[in-house]
Amino acid sequence: MGGGNKDKLSTESYKGVRDLYPRDMFVQNYIFEVMRETAESFGFEEYSASILEPSDLYEAKTGEEIVAEQTYTFKDRGGRSVTLRPEMTPTVARMVASCRRDLAFPLRWYSIPNIFRYERPQRGRLREHWQLNVDLFGLDSTEADIEVISLAHKIMRNFGAHEEQFNIHINSKRLIDRIFGHFSLSEDEIRSVSKLIDKRNKMPSDEFSIKLKDVLGDKSEVADTLMAIVGENKVENLPESIQDSDELREVEKIMKGLGKLGISNTVFDFSIVRGFDYYTGVIFEIFDTGGENNRSLFGGGRYDDLMKVFGESRVPAVGFGMGDVTMRDFLTTYGLLPAYAPNVDLYLCTLDHEVEGAAQELGARLRESGVNVAIDFSGRRVGDQIKVANKKGIPFALFFGKNEMKSKTLKIKNLKSGKEADVKESDVAEFIRQEYA
Ligand code: HAM
């Protein structure tokens, strides 16, 4: 063999992605289960698609920052440019556009895809994450917006979060456009101001004000008004014509509708701009209100025109993307994750090499009765076998040696409570069921 250390491969995973060990998978599965069950309780159907997409899918509408700086793009062997999906929205829009005539609108669709973005890994930001995508196609009405936002709220509640632990920040792309239009900002100014507003929560007021004035040059009055709108977040600071606008009324209607459903942790927030070019109506982000993890957890909005990039006529749509990384941080912060419990019920300890064949047959019969059984063939001392079961969190152990092979009863132990019992083979499943209860 030979070869020194230099020939050894690193055991580290690729930067910014995670290896999911069984205990991580337990958490992941729990998170997905709550997402799935809640989405389905609102009548949403699951879909899926490949991770690979032709790169031009993202050029039309996914934000410039993501396409230029964050995509994993490569040429395949046939010379085509391929991208690992940096979000799911263009994919689902493509799927809907490709067979819209066969679909029964309105569509309520959800998926939990993995997403790749070349970002600087940090708390809450990785290069691969999973993202629940929930999208409602075919409805223009604010009821659809309310439905989708209330689904987001319900997922949080089903995770066990209290309303004081998170807030739903709501804004509107139409309202933002109206404000920018009011000040006659150029395309370039709009882009720079939007980017700055997006980072508003990450800097002190004075810094925001200086940067805003920088971007707007000689339009310092506009900067002052924008500062008052975004900085103080007060509707009264809006120009009068906008205070009386449909755009503002629409947001108020959504918030009122949510209130009627008993959802009161909503905040009108002008600093929510969302980084994608396809949003056309309401936009929202859910924030953790606590100090430790005070950040945006997930977000979404209405995008009525995305289908047009496929040459199709308009299909109104509203949805959101909820990431597993930020959710996991949130649930950990508030102690809302369930304790680890493996799927294995019983650890079958073999007390002698000679009984291993019979233990395997016993294991097969117990599985038929619905018990998940792992058999220890190590030949180690029984104490060591129990240690393995304990380390894995397996709740029950069964001891199987030459005597048990001959006798009519089996010795079973609840490793959590220490309770031991002699039971007939046909009663093992029932014993476990009762101990669980
Ligand atoms: P997004 O805000 O880019 O929206 O991502 C949605 C959520 O995915 C984020 O709020 C966060 O929870 C999670 N996320 C995004 N990037 C990362 C990352 N690098 N690491 C960990 N988590 C991340 C969208 O992607 C829209 N396509 C959502 C949407 C669906 N809008 C309408 N329908």
Side-chain angles (χ1 to χ4, degrees):
M1 301 290 278
N5 276 353
K6 68 178 165 49
D7 295 329
K8 282 190 183 157
L9 285 175
S10 164
T11 55
E12 269 177 43
S13 55
Y14 169 70
K15 185 172 175 180
V17 309
R18 289 162 293 169
D19 291 325
L20 296 169
Y21 288 86
R23 280 171 195 263
D24 303 308
M25 276 313 289
F26 174 79
V27 172
Q28 182 89 315
N29 285 337
Y30 167 72
I31 292 175
F32 287 5
E33 197 180 291
V34 173
M35 291 172 166
R36 214 173 239 128
E37 280 177 4
T38 316
E40 289 179 3
S41 78
F42 276 68
F44 281 70
E45 297 172 280
E46 188 166 12
Y47 68 94
S48 185
S50 168
I51 294 171
L52 302 176
E53 284 283 8
S55 305
D56 59 6
L57 181 64
Y58 304 104
E59 272 142 33
K61 288 276 179 178
T62 298
E64 196 187 296
E65 186 185 5
I66 288 190
V67 174
E69 296 164 24
Q70 296 183 350
T71 49
Y72 281 88
T73 295
F74 59 94
K75 286 263 189 291
D76 72 9
R77 287 171 200 277
R80 299 169 204 91
S81 184
V82 182
T83 295
L84 301 188
R85 59 183 169 217
E87 57 155 338
M88 197 62 168
T89 310
T91 298
V92 71
R94 178 178 62 67
M95 286 169 69
V96 172
S98 100
C99 53
R100 67 182 289 188
R101 269 149 215 94
D102 304 323
L103 298 167
F105 287 89
L107 303 176
R108 291 175 167 84
W109 281 11
Y110 82 91
S111 188
I112 313 180
N114 53 344
I115 302 285
F116 296 85
R117 291 185 193 172
Y118 191 80
E119 295 201 63
R120 191 170 63 77
Q122 54 192 293
R123 183 172 165 85
R125 294 266 135 194
L126 294 176
R127 290 184 173 171
E128 181 190 23
H129 72 280
W130 272 258
Q131 195 189 85
L132 167 70
N133 273 254
V134 157
D135 293 277
L136 206 170
F137 293 90
L139 292 176
D140 269 308
S141 63
T142 48
E143 278 70 27
D145 303 327
I146 294 168
E147 189 79 352
V148 164
I149 298 172
S150 69
L151 167 49
H153 175 270
K154 185 69 176 168
I155 295 175
M156 294 300 287
R157 297 288 289 122
N158 284 351
F159 274 126
H162 295 295
E163 279 207 345
E164 312 81 63
Q165 291 167 334
F166 68 100
N167 272 337
I168 304 168
H169 292 231
I170 300 181
N171 197 6
S172 149
K173 193 69 198 313
R174 285 177 63 213
L175 181 64
I176 296 173
D177 288 347
R178 177 86 195 248
I179 295 171
F180 289 157
H182 178 88
F183 295 122
S184 313
L185 299 189
S186 70
E187 289 281 316
D188 276 354
E189 285 167 336
I190 290 176
R191 205 167 302 122
S192 312
V193 171
S194 298
K195 251 192 183 161
L196 199 56
I197 295 177
D198 197 26
K199 302 203 162 65
R200 165 72 189 93
N201 290 324
K202 295 183 187 126
M203 63 181 96
S205 269
D206 340 351
E207 188 184 337
F208 177 65
S209 170
I210 292 168
K211 287 197 167 148
L212 197 58
K213 284 189 174 139
D214 238 22
V215 167
L216 290 171
D218 54 354
K219 298 179 180 164
S220 69
E221 265 171 55
V222 178
D224 288 339
T225 318
L226 276 177
M227 184 64 204
I229 297 170
V230 179
E232 293 173 31
N233 215 16
K234 282 196 192 132
V235 175
E236 305 89 78
N237 291 341
L238 285 170
E240 232 163 74
S241 61
I242 298 178
Q243 287 193 34
D244 200 24
S245 65
D246 285 351
E247 288 84 352
L248 186 60
R249 259 191 226 113
E250 185 182 76
V251 180
E252 286 168 349
K253 192 172 168 205
I254 292 169
M255 291 179 67
K256 226 180 240 161
L258 289 167
K260 282 196 187 138
L261 292 173
I263 299 170
S264 56
N265 56 340
T266 51
V267 188
F268 195 2
D269 185 351
F270 294 112
S271 69
I272 299 297
V273 288
R274 308 274 304 140
F276 298 100
D277 297 342
Y278 47 67
Y279 289 119
T280 54
V282 67
I283 45 182
F284 56 92
E285 253 167 60
I286 284 64
F287 278 75
D288 180 348
T289 54
E292 199 181 318
N293 186 39
N294 191 341
R295 59 172 306 148
S296 166
L297 297 170
F298 63 99
R302 176 170 278 284
Y303 53 101
D304 290 341
D305 295 330
L306 191 51
M307 228 55 79
K308 290 185 190 162
V309 303
F310 303 103
E312 291 287 326
S313 56
R314 169 181 180 278
V315 176
V318 54
F320 64 82
M322 176 189 229
D324 67 324
V325 180
T326 44
M327 265 332 289
R328 191 176 175 150
D329 287 347
F330 176 85
L331 297 173
T332 307
T333 304
Y334 290 101
L336 293 173
L337 285 175
Y340 176 69
N343 287 324
V344 187
D345 302 305
L346 183 74
Y347 202 61
L348 207 167
C349 303
T350 53
L351 308 182
D352 199 308
H353 273 309
E354 284 171 42
V355 303
E356 283 172 0
Q360 210 154 27
E361 288 164 28
L362 171 63
R365 289 193 299 275
L366 290 174
R367 288 179 195 123
E368 284 297 313
S369 67
V371 181
N372 292 349
V373 185
I375 308 173
D376 192 314
F377 297 114
S378 69
R380 279 184 290 185
R381 290 186 347 202
V382 68
D384 292 334
Q385 295 186 32
I386 290 180
K387 265 189 209 151
V388 172
N390 276 329
K391 203 164 175 189
K392 290 179 193 292
I394 300 171
F396 298 94
L398 194 145
F399 308 101
F400 192 68
K402 284 187 200 149
N403 288 344
E404 285 74 15
M405 231 170 99
K406 287 182 220 131
S407 110
K408 294 247 171 330
T409 56
L410 297 164
K411 199 170 274 311
I412 188 166
K413 182 172 182 179
N414 181 335
L415 295 176
K416 301 259 148 66
S417 68
K419 177 177 165 186
E420 278 191 357
D422 290 316
V423 294
K424 283 197 294 194
E425 183 186 316
S426 55
D427 291 340
V428 169
E430 187 51 30
F431 175 84
I432 289 178
R433 215 165 285 130
Q434 281 185 8
E435 288 292 303
Y436 271 135

